[in-house]
PDB file of all heavy atoms in Angstrom:
ATOM      1  N   ILE A 280      -0.213  -6.293 -10.254  1.00 97.00           N
ATOM      2  CA  ILE A 280      -1.553  -6.608  -9.875  1.00 97.00           C
ATOM      3  C   ILE A 280      -1.518  -7.163  -8.452  1.00 97.00           C
ATOM      4  O   ILE A 280      -0.709  -8.018  -8.147  1.00 97.00           O
ATOM      5  CB  ILE A 280      -2.213  -7.585 -10.846  1.00 97.00           C
ATOM      6  CG1 ILE A 280      -3.634  -7.926 -10.417  1.00 97.00           C
ATOM      7  CG2 ILE A 280      -1.419  -8.845 -11.024  1.00 97.00           C
ATOM      8  CD1 ILE A 280      -4.381  -8.809 -11.398  1.00 97.00           C
ATOM      9  N   PHE A 281      -2.379  -6.637  -7.573  1.00 97.00           N
ATOM     10  CA  PHE A 281      -2.360  -6.985  -6.151  1.00 97.00           C
ATOM     11  C   PHE A 281      -3.729  -7.384  -5.718  1.00 97.00           C
ATOM     12  O   PHE A 281      -4.744  -6.765  -6.088  1.00 97.00           O
ATOM     13  CB  PHE A 281      -1.871  -5.780  -5.366  1.00 97.00           C
ATOM     14  CG  PHE A 281      -1.929  -5.892  -3.866  1.00 97.00           C
ATOM     15  CD1 PHE A 281      -1.284  -6.955  -3.218  1.00 97.00           C
ATOM     16  CD2 PHE A 281      -2.594  -4.945  -3.123  1.00 97.00           C
ATOM     17  CE1 PHE A 281      -1.335  -7.073  -1.827  1.00 97.00           C
ATOM     18  CE2 PHE A 281      -2.667  -5.060  -1.717  1.00 97.00           C
ATOM     19  CZ  PHE A 281      -2.029  -6.129  -1.098  1.00 97.00           C
ATOM     20  N   ASN A 282      -3.818  -8.465  -4.928  1.00 98.00           N
ATOM     21  CA  ASN A 282      -5.079  -8.888  -4.351  1.00 98.00           C
ATOM     22  C   ASN A 282      -5.203  -8.245  -2.972  1.00 98.00           C
ATOM     23  O   ASN A 282      -4.735  -8.773  -1.984  1.00 98.00           O
ATOM     24  CB  ASN A 282      -5.204 -10.394  -4.254  1.00 98.00           C
ATOM     25  CG  ASN A 282      -6.603 -10.876  -3.908  1.00 98.00           C
ATOM     26  OD1 ASN A 282      -7.451 -10.093  -3.463  1.00 98.00           O
ATOM     27  ND2 ASN A 282      -6.871 -12.155  -4.070  1.00 98.00           N
ATOM     28  N   LYS A 283      -5.826  -7.112  -2.952  1.00 97.00           N
ATOM     29  CA  LYS A 283      -5.936  -6.311  -1.714  1.00 97.00           C
ATOM     30  C   LYS A 283      -6.848  -6.972  -0.698  1.00 97.00           C
ATOM     31  O   LYS A 283      -7.968  -7.335  -0.985  1.00 97.00           O
ATOM     32  CB  LYS A 283      -6.487  -4.908  -2.057  1.00 97.00           C
ATOM     33  CG  LYS A 283      -6.742  -4.022  -0.823  1.00 97.00           C
ATOM     34  CD  LYS A 283      -7.547  -2.822  -1.214  1.00 97.00           C
ATOM     35  CE  LYS A 283      -7.985  -1.998  -0.053  1.00 97.00           C
ATOM     36  NZ  LYS A 283      -8.865  -2.700   0.910  1.00 97.00           N
ATOM     37  N   PRO A 284      -6.367  -7.082   0.545  1.00 97.00           N
ATOM     38  CA  PRO A 284      -7.258  -7.594   1.592  1.00 97.00           C
ATOM     39  C   PRO A 284      -8.110  -6.463   2.194  1.00 97.00           C
ATOM     40  O   PRO A 284      -7.788  -5.283   2.003  1.00 97.00           O
ATOM     41  CB  PRO A 284      -6.238  -8.092   2.656  1.00 97.00           C
ATOM     42  CG  PRO A 284      -5.087  -7.166   2.513  1.00 97.00           C
ATOM     43  CD  PRO A 284      -5.016  -6.836   1.035  1.00 97.00           C
ATOM     44  N   GLU A 285      -9.124  -6.795   2.928  1.00 96.00           N
ATOM     45  CA  GLU A 285      -9.864  -5.777   3.680  1.00 96.00           C
ATOM     46  C   GLU A 285      -8.926  -5.266   4.777  1.00 96.00           C
ATOM     47  O   GLU A 285      -7.997  -5.924   5.194  1.00 96.00           O
ATOM     48  CB  GLU A 285     -11.124  -6.338   4.332  1.00 96.00           C
ATOM     49  CG  GLU A 285     -12.142  -6.886   3.344  1.00 96.00           C
ATOM     50  CD  GLU A 285     -11.985  -8.384   3.070  1.00 96.00           C
ATOM     51  OE1 GLU A 285     -10.875  -8.913   3.353  1.00 96.00           O
ATOM     52  OE2 GLU A 285     -12.940  -8.994   2.603  1.00 96.00           O
ATOM     53  N   GLY A 286      -9.187  -4.045   5.247  1.00 95.00           N
ATOM     54  CA  GLY A 286      -8.411  -3.545   6.383  1.00 95.00           C
ATOM     55  C   GLY A 286      -7.119  -2.790   6.025  1.00 95.00           C
ATOM     56  O   GLY A 286      -6.270  -2.639   6.843  1.00 95.00           O
ATOM     57  N   CYS A 287      -7.009  -2.351   4.735  1.00 94.00           N
ATOM     58  CA  CYS A 287      -5.888  -1.483   4.387  1.00 94.00           C
ATOM     59  C   CYS A 287      -6.398  -0.467   3.347  1.00 94.00           C
ATOM     60  O   CYS A 287      -7.414  -0.704   2.682  1.00 94.00           O
ATOM     61  CB  CYS A 287      -4.715  -2.292   3.847  1.00 94.00           C
ATOM     62  SG  CYS A 287      -4.905  -2.984   2.215  1.00 94.00           S
ATOM     63  N   VAL A 288      -5.711   0.645   3.285  1.00 94.00           N
ATOM     64  CA  VAL A 288      -6.147   1.711   2.397  1.00 94.00           C
ATOM     65  C   VAL A 288      -5.378   1.715   1.075  1.00 94.00           C
ATOM     66  O   VAL A 288      -4.223   1.339   1.015  1.00 94.00           O
ATOM     67  CB  VAL A 288      -6.021   3.093   3.090  1.00 94.00           C
ATOM     68  CG1 VAL A 288      -7.007   3.238   4.227  1.00 94.00           C
ATOM     69  CG2 VAL A 288      -4.587   3.307   3.573  1.00 94.00           C
ATOM     70  N   SER A 289      -6.042   2.170   0.029  1.00 92.00           N
ATOM     71  CA  SER A 289      -5.439   2.170  -1.331  1.00 92.00           C
ATOM     72  C   SER A 289      -4.720   3.479  -1.581  1.00 92.00           C
ATOM     73  O   SER A 289      -4.966   4.198  -2.556  1.00 92.00           O
ATOM     74  CB  SER A 289      -6.544   1.968  -2.385  1.00 92.00           C
ATOM     75  OG  SER A 289      -7.207   0.777  -2.181  1.00 92.00           O
ATOM     76  N   THR A 290      -3.787   3.812  -0.689  1.00 86.00           N
ATOM     77  CA  THR A 290      -2.994   5.035  -0.813  1.00 86.00           C
ATOM     78  C   THR A 290      -1.532   4.702  -0.534  1.00 86.00           C
ATOM     79  O   THR A 290      -1.221   3.609  -0.012  1.00 86.00           O
ATOM     80  CB  THR A 290      -3.446   6.127   0.149  1.00 86.00           C
ATOM     81  OG1 THR A 290      -3.452   5.611   1.480  1.00 86.00           O
ATOM     82  CG2 THR A 290      -4.869   6.584  -0.191  1.00 86.00           C
ATOM     83  N   VAL A 291      -0.659   5.636  -0.837  1.00 83.00           N
ATOM     84  CA  VAL A 291       0.762   5.434  -0.571  1.00 83.00           C
ATOM     85  C   VAL A 291       1.048   5.701   0.925  1.00 83.00           C
ATOM     86  O   VAL A 291       1.848   4.988   1.552  1.00 83.00           O
ATOM     87  CB  VAL A 291       1.597   6.397  -1.435  1.00 83.00           C
ATOM     88  CG1 VAL A 291       3.089   6.300  -1.078  1.00 83.00           C
ATOM     89  CG2 VAL A 291       1.386   6.076  -2.921  1.00 83.00           C
ATOM     90  N   LYS A 292       0.384   6.697   1.460  1.00 83.00           N
ATOM     91  CA  LYS A 292       0.526   7.032   2.904  1.00 83.00           C
ATOM     92  C   LYS A 292      -0.864   7.234   3.491  1.00 83.00           C
ATOM     93  O   LYS A 292      -1.821   7.514   2.793  1.00 83.00           O
ATOM     94  CB  LYS A 292       1.386   8.315   3.122  1.00 83.00           C
ATOM     95  CG  LYS A 292       2.826   8.182   2.627  1.00 83.00           C
ATOM     96  CD  LYS A 292       3.553   9.508   2.880  1.00 83.00           C
ATOM     97  CE  LYS A 292       4.992   9.434   2.363  1.00 83.00           C
ATOM     98  NZ  LYS A 292       5.718  10.706   2.561  1.00 83.00           N
ATOM     99  N   ASP A 293      -0.978   7.125   4.817  1.00 83.00           N
ATOM    100  CA  ASP A 293      -2.254   7.335   5.482  1.00 83.00           C
ATOM    101  C   ASP A 293      -2.045   8.205   6.721  1.00 83.00           C
ATOM    102  O   ASP A 293      -1.223   7.882   7.572  1.00 83.00           O
ATOM    103  CB  ASP A 293      -2.896   6.014   5.866  1.00 83.00           C
ATOM    104  CG  ASP A 293      -4.257   6.215   6.493  1.00 83.00           C
ATOM    105  OD1 ASP A 293      -5.180   6.726   5.826  1.00 83.00           O
ATOM    106  OD2 ASP A 293      -4.441   5.922   7.716  1.00 83.00           O
ATOM    107  N   GLN A 294      -2.790   9.296   6.798  1.00 83.00           N
ATOM    108  CA  GLN A 294      -2.635  10.258   7.889  1.00 83.00           C
ATOM    109  C   GLN A 294      -3.045   9.669   9.229  1.00 83.00           C
ATOM    110  O   GLN A 294      -2.666  10.195  10.282  1.00 83.00           O
ATOM    111  CB  GLN A 294      -3.439  11.504   7.617  1.00 83.00           C
ATOM    112  CG  GLN A 294      -4.939  11.259   7.428  1.00 83.00           C
ATOM    113  CD  GLN A 294      -5.694  12.557   7.167  1.00 83.00           C
ATOM    114  OE1 GLN A 294      -5.318  13.630   7.643  1.00 83.00           O
ATOM    115  NE2 GLN A 294      -6.774  12.436   6.363  1.00 83.00           N
ATOM    116  N   PHE A 295      -3.819   8.610   9.232  1.00 86.00           N
ATOM    117  CA  PHE A 295      -4.262   8.011  10.469  1.00 86.00           C
ATOM    118  C   PHE A 295      -3.429   6.786  10.877  1.00 86.00           C
ATOM    119  O   PHE A 295      -3.705   6.084  11.851  1.00 86.00           O
ATOM    120  CB  PHE A 295      -5.736   7.598  10.329  1.00 86.00           C
ATOM    121  CG  PHE A 295      -6.645   8.715   9.971  1.00 86.00           C
ATOM    122  CD1 PHE A 295      -7.258   8.754   8.727  1.00 86.00           C
ATOM    123  CD2 PHE A 295      -6.882   9.735  10.874  1.00 86.00           C
ATOM    124  CE1 PHE A 295      -8.103   9.776   8.413  1.00 86.00           C
ATOM    125  CE2 PHE A 295      -7.741  10.811  10.557  1.00 86.00           C
ATOM    126  CZ  PHE A 295      -8.351  10.837   9.294  1.00 86.00           C
ATOM    127  N   GLY A 296      -2.381   6.562  10.132  1.00 86.00           N
ATOM    128  CA  GLY A 296      -1.459   5.465  10.498  1.00 86.00           C
ATOM    129  C   GLY A 296      -1.976   4.089  10.152  1.00 86.00           C
ATOM    130  O   GLY A 296      -1.412   3.076  10.618  1.00 86.00           O
ATOM    131  N   ARG A 297      -3.012   4.004   9.301  1.00 90.00           N
ATOM    132  CA  ARG A 297      -3.513   2.677   8.913  1.00 90.00           C
ATOM    133  C   ARG A 297      -2.584   2.034   7.890  1.00 90.00           C
ATOM    134  O   ARG A 297      -1.825   2.679   7.217  1.00 90.00           O
ATOM    135  CB  ARG A 297      -4.913   2.815   8.326  1.00 90.00           C
ATOM    136  CG  ARG A 297      -5.963   3.283   9.337  1.00 90.00           C
ATOM    137  CD  ARG A 297      -7.304   3.582   8.622  1.00 90.00           C
ATOM    138  NE  ARG A 297      -7.229   4.666   7.657  1.00 90.00           N
ATOM    139  CZ  ARG A 297      -8.231   5.113   6.941  1.00 90.00           C
ATOM    140  NH1 ARG A 297      -9.438   4.527   7.067  1.00 90.00           N
ATOM    141  NH2 ARG A 297      -8.077   6.109   6.091  1.00 90.00           N
ATOM    142  N   LYS A 298      -2.703   0.728   7.777  1.00 91.00           N
ATOM    143  CA  LYS A 298      -1.880  -0.021   6.851  1.00 91.00           C
ATOM    144  C   LYS A 298      -2.281   0.361   5.412  1.00 91.00           C
ATOM    145  O   LYS A 298      -3.470   0.474   5.085  1.00 91.00           O
ATOM    146  CB  LYS A 298      -2.088  -1.543   7.067  1.00 91.00           C
ATOM    147  CG  LYS A 298      -0.915  -2.379   6.571  1.00 91.00           C
ATOM    148  CD  LYS A 298      -1.037  -3.798   7.120  1.00 91.00           C
ATOM    149  CE  LYS A 298       0.231  -4.612   6.848  1.00 91.00           C
ATOM    150  NZ  LYS A 298       0.142  -5.925   7.413  1.00 91.00           N
ATOM    151  N   THR A 299      -1.303   0.536   4.548  1.00 93.00           N
ATOM    152  CA  THR A 299      -1.549   0.849   3.164  1.00 93.00           C
ATOM    153  C   THR A 299      -1.215  -0.323   2.266  1.00 93.00           C
ATOM    154  O   THR A 299      -0.567  -1.294   2.682  1.00 93.00           O
ATOM    155  CB  THR A 299      -0.719   2.062   2.701  1.00 93.00           C
ATOM    156  OG1 THR A 299       0.669   1.667   2.546  1.00 93.00           O
ATOM    157  CG2 THR A 299      -0.839   3.204   3.681  1.00 93.00           C
ATOM    158  N   VAL A 300      -1.631  -0.292   1.012  1.00 93.00           N
ATOM    159  CA  VAL A 300      -1.356  -1.400   0.097  1.00 93.00           C
ATOM    160  C   VAL A 300       0.154  -1.573  -0.142  1.00 93.00           C
ATOM    161  O   VAL A 300       0.625  -2.699  -0.393  1.00 93.00           O
ATOM    162  CB  VAL A 300      -2.083  -1.173  -1.240  1.00 93.00           C
ATOM    163  CG1 VAL A 300      -3.608  -1.355  -1.082  1.00 93.00           C
ATOM    164  CG2 VAL A 300      -1.760   0.162  -1.879  1.00 93.00           C
ATOM    165  N   LEU A 301       0.882  -0.471  -0.019  1.00 91.00           N
ATOM    166  CA  LEU A 301       2.320  -0.593  -0.253  1.00 91.00           C
ATOM    167  C   LEU A 301       3.026  -1.346   0.855  1.00 91.00           C
ATOM    168  O   LEU A 301       4.160  -1.819   0.676  1.00 91.00           O
ATOM    169  CB  LEU A 301       2.946   0.817  -0.373  1.00 91.00           C
ATOM    170  CG  LEU A 301       2.585   1.611  -1.605  1.00 91.00           C
ATOM    171  CD1 LEU A 301       3.414   2.900  -1.705  1.00 91.00           C
ATOM    172  CD2 LEU A 301       2.756   0.792  -2.875  1.00 91.00           C
ATOM    173  N   SER A 302       2.352  -1.560   1.982  1.00 91.00           N
ATOM    174  CA  SER A 302       2.909  -2.345   3.065  1.00 91.00           C
ATOM    175  C   SER A 302       3.159  -3.777   2.628  1.00 91.00           C
ATOM    176  O   SER A 302       3.970  -4.492   3.207  1.00 91.00           O
ATOM    177  CB  SER A 302       2.010  -2.329   4.273  1.00 91.00           C
ATOM    178  OG  SER A 302       1.722  -1.021   4.723  1.00 91.00           O
ATOM    179  N   TYR A 303       2.428  -4.219   1.596  1.00 93.00           N
ATOM    180  CA  TYR A 303       2.532  -5.614   1.138  1.00 93.00           C
ATOM    181  C   TYR A 303       3.448  -5.744  -0.038  1.00 93.00           C
ATOM    182  O   TYR A 303       3.726  -6.867  -0.503  1.00 93.00           O
ATOM    183  CB  TYR A 303       1.130  -6.124   0.727  1.00 93.00           C
ATOM    184  CG  TYR A 303       0.130  -6.111   1.851  1.00 93.00           C
ATOM    185  CD1 TYR A 303      -0.672  -4.975   2.099  1.00 93.00           C
ATOM    186  CD2 TYR A 303      -0.040  -7.207   2.693  1.00 93.00           C
ATOM    187  CE1 TYR A 303      -1.604  -4.971   3.128  1.00 93.00           C
ATOM    188  CE2 TYR A 303      -0.961  -7.222   3.707  1.00 93.00           C
ATOM    189  CZ  TYR A 303      -1.727  -6.095   3.944  1.00 93.00           C
ATOM    190  OH  TYR A 303      -2.669  -6.095   4.972  1.00 93.00           O
ATOM    191  N   LEU A 304       3.988  -4.648  -0.557  1.00 90.00           N
ATOM    192  CA  LEU A 304       4.815  -4.678  -1.775  1.00 90.00           C
ATOM    193  C   LEU A 304       6.246  -4.169  -1.460  1.00 90.00           C
ATOM    194  O   LEU A 304       6.763  -3.289  -2.135  1.00 90.00           O
ATOM    195  CB  LEU A 304       4.188  -3.838  -2.882  1.00 90.00           C
ATOM    196  CG  LEU A 304       2.974  -4.450  -3.631  1.00 90.00           C
ATOM    197  CD1 LEU A 304       1.751  -4.509  -2.744  1.00 90.00           C
ATOM    198  CD2 LEU A 304       2.694  -3.649  -4.876  1.00 90.00           C
ATOM    199  N   LYS A 305       6.840  -4.731  -0.459  1.00 82.00           N
ATOM    200  CA  LYS A 305       8.113  -4.208   0.056  1.00 82.00           C
ATOM    201  C   LYS A 305       9.303  -4.504  -0.817  1.00 82.00           C
ATOM    202  O   LYS A 305      10.352  -3.874  -0.705  1.00 82.00           O
ATOM    203  CB  LYS A 305       8.348  -4.760   1.461  1.00 82.00           C
ATOM    204  CG  LYS A 305       7.306  -4.276   2.485  1.00 82.00           C
ATOM    205  CD  LYS A 305       7.544  -4.856   3.854  1.00 82.00           C
ATOM    206  CE  LYS A 305       6.516  -4.347   4.846  1.00 82.00           C
ATOM    207  NZ  LYS A 305       6.721  -4.924   6.232  1.00 82.00           N
ATOM    208  N   ASN A 306       9.194  -5.442  -1.724  1.00 84.00           N
ATOM    209  CA  ASN A 306      10.334  -5.870  -2.502  1.00 84.00           C
ATOM    210  C   ASN A 306      10.429  -5.135  -3.862  1.00 84.00           C
ATOM    211  O   ASN A 306      11.266  -5.461  -4.700  1.00 84.00           O
ATOM    212  CB  ASN A 306      10.321  -7.390  -2.762  1.00 84.00           C
ATOM    213  CG  ASN A 306      10.536  -8.158  -1.478  1.00 84.00           C
ATOM    214  OD1 ASN A 306      11.270  -7.753  -0.603  1.00 84.00           O
ATOM    215  ND2 ASN A 306       9.857  -9.290  -1.374  1.00 84.00           N
ATOM    216  N   ILE A 307       9.572  -4.137  -4.058  1.00 88.00           N
ATOM    217  CA  ILE A 307       9.589  -3.368  -5.301  1.00 88.00           C
ATOM    218  C   ILE A 307      10.302  -2.047  -5.071  1.00 88.00           C
ATOM    219  O   ILE A 307       9.877  -1.254  -4.225  1.00 88.00           O
ATOM    220  CB  ILE A 307       8.139  -3.122  -5.802  1.00 88.00           C
ATOM    221  CG1 ILE A 307       7.482  -4.474  -6.106  1.00 88.00           C
ATOM    222  CG2 ILE A 307       8.148  -2.237  -7.051  1.00 88.00           C
ATOM    223  CD1 ILE A 307       6.022  -4.317  -6.549  1.00 88.00           C
ATOM    224  N   LYS A 308      11.395  -1.808  -5.769  1.00 83.00           N
ATOM    225  CA  LYS A 308      12.223  -0.666  -5.530  1.00 83.00           C
ATOM    226  C   LYS A 308      11.653   0.621  -6.104  1.00 83.00           C
ATOM    227  O   LYS A 308      11.820   1.707  -5.559  1.00 83.00           O
ATOM    228  CB  LYS A 308      13.654  -0.900  -6.122  1.00 83.00           C
ATOM    229  CG  LYS A 308      14.392  -2.053  -5.446  1.00 83.00           C
ATOM    230  CD  LYS A 308      15.754  -2.273  -6.079  1.00 83.00           C
ATOM    231  CE  LYS A 308      16.492  -3.437  -5.420  1.00 83.00           C
ATOM    232  NZ  LYS A 308      17.830  -3.644  -6.008  1.00 83.00           N
ATOM    233  N   GLU A 309      10.999   0.497  -7.273  1.00 84.00           N
ATOM    234  CA  GLU A 309      10.435   1.679  -7.935  1.00 84.00           C
ATOM    235  C   GLU A 309       9.270   2.242  -7.115  1.00 84.00           C
ATOM    236  O   GLU A 309       8.547   1.523  -6.440  1.00 84.00           O
ATOM    237  CB  GLU A 309       9.983   1.338  -9.334  1.00 84.00           C
ATOM    238  CG  GLU A 309      11.088   1.031 -10.313  1.00 84.00           C
ATOM    239  CD  GLU A 309      11.613  -0.395 -10.171  1.00 84.00           C
ATOM    240  OE1 GLU A 309      10.997  -1.168  -9.409  1.00 84.00           O
ATOM    241  OE2 GLU A 309      12.619  -0.694 -10.782  1.00 84.00           O
ATOM    242  N   ARG A 310       9.099   3.543  -7.203  1.00 83.00           N
ATOM    243  CA  ARG A 310       7.949   4.177  -6.528  1.00 83.00           C
ATOM    244  C   ARG A 310       6.732   4.006  -7.399  1.00 83.00           C
ATOM    245  O   ARG A 310       6.600   4.553  -8.513  1.00 83.00           O
ATOM    246  CB  ARG A 310       8.219   5.664  -6.289  1.00 83.00           C
ATOM    247  CG  ARG A 310       7.048   6.381  -5.605  1.00 83.00           C
ATOM    248  CD  ARG A 310       7.442   7.743  -5.141  1.00 83.00           C
ATOM    249  NE  ARG A 310       7.814   8.670  -6.239  1.00 83.00           N
ATOM    250  CZ  ARG A 310       8.158   9.922  -6.038  1.00 83.00           C
ATOM    251  NH1 ARG A 310       8.217  10.406  -4.793  1.00 83.00           N
ATOM    252  NH2 ARG A 310       8.471  10.700  -7.068  1.00 83.00           N
ATOM    253  N   ILE A 311       5.788   3.200  -6.922  1.00 89.00           N
ATOM    254  CA  ILE A 311       4.537   2.990  -7.635  1.00 89.00           C
ATOM    255  C   ILE A 311       3.342   3.442  -6.788  1.00 89.00           C
ATOM    256  O   ILE A 311       3.507   3.681  -5.588  1.00 89.00           O
ATOM    257  CB  ILE A 311       4.368   1.493  -8.019  1.00 89.00           C
ATOM    258  CG1 ILE A 311       4.340   0.601  -6.771  1.00 89.00           C
ATOM    259  CG2 ILE A 311       5.471   1.055  -8.955  1.00 89.00           C
ATOM    260  CD1 ILE A 311       4.088  -0.861  -7.064  1.00 89.00           C
ATOM    261  N   TYR A 312       2.220   3.592  -7.421  1.00 88.00           N
ATOM    262  CA  TYR A 312       1.025   4.040  -6.708  1.00 88.00           C
ATOM    263  C   TYR A 312      -0.206   3.357  -7.297  1.00 88.00           C
ATOM    264  O   TYR A 312      -0.190   2.863  -8.432  1.00 88.00           O
ATOM    265  CB  TYR A 312       0.874   5.574  -6.821  1.00 88.00           C
ATOM    266  CG  TYR A 312       1.000   6.080  -8.242  1.00 88.00           C
ATOM    267  CD1 TYR A 312      -0.095   6.174  -9.087  1.00 88.00           C
ATOM    268  CD2 TYR A 312       2.226   6.521  -8.776  1.00 88.00           C
ATOM    269  CE1 TYR A 312      -0.030   6.641 -10.355  1.00 88.00           C
ATOM    270  CE2 TYR A 312       2.345   6.948 -10.068  1.00 88.00           C
ATOM    271  CZ  TYR A 312       1.210   7.024 -10.868  1.00 88.00           C
ATOM    272  OH  TYR A 312       1.292   7.496 -12.155  1.00 88.00           O
TER     273      TYR A 312
END
């Protein structure tokens, strides 16, 4: 469960180079979405 801030996208990758939610979950080894 993640408390998402404004200013990031709810995707794994972003074609426009914007920050994604996974940018905040760097210590999780498994691939989650």
Side-chain angles (χ1 to χ4, degrees):
I280 179 175
F281 174 55
N282 190 345
K283 174 192 172 299
E285 299 92 341
C287 72
V288 291
S289 301
T290 55
V291 175
K292 297 180 181 179
D293 183 63
Q294 59 180 328
F295 302 111
R297 294 174 295 181
K298 203 166 190 177
T299 73
V300 291
L301 291 189
S302 302
Y303 300 90
L304 284 70
K305 295 179 179 179
N306 294 325
I307 298 177
K308 296 179 180 180
E309 291 80 8
R310 179 167 64 179
I311 60 176
Y312 50 88

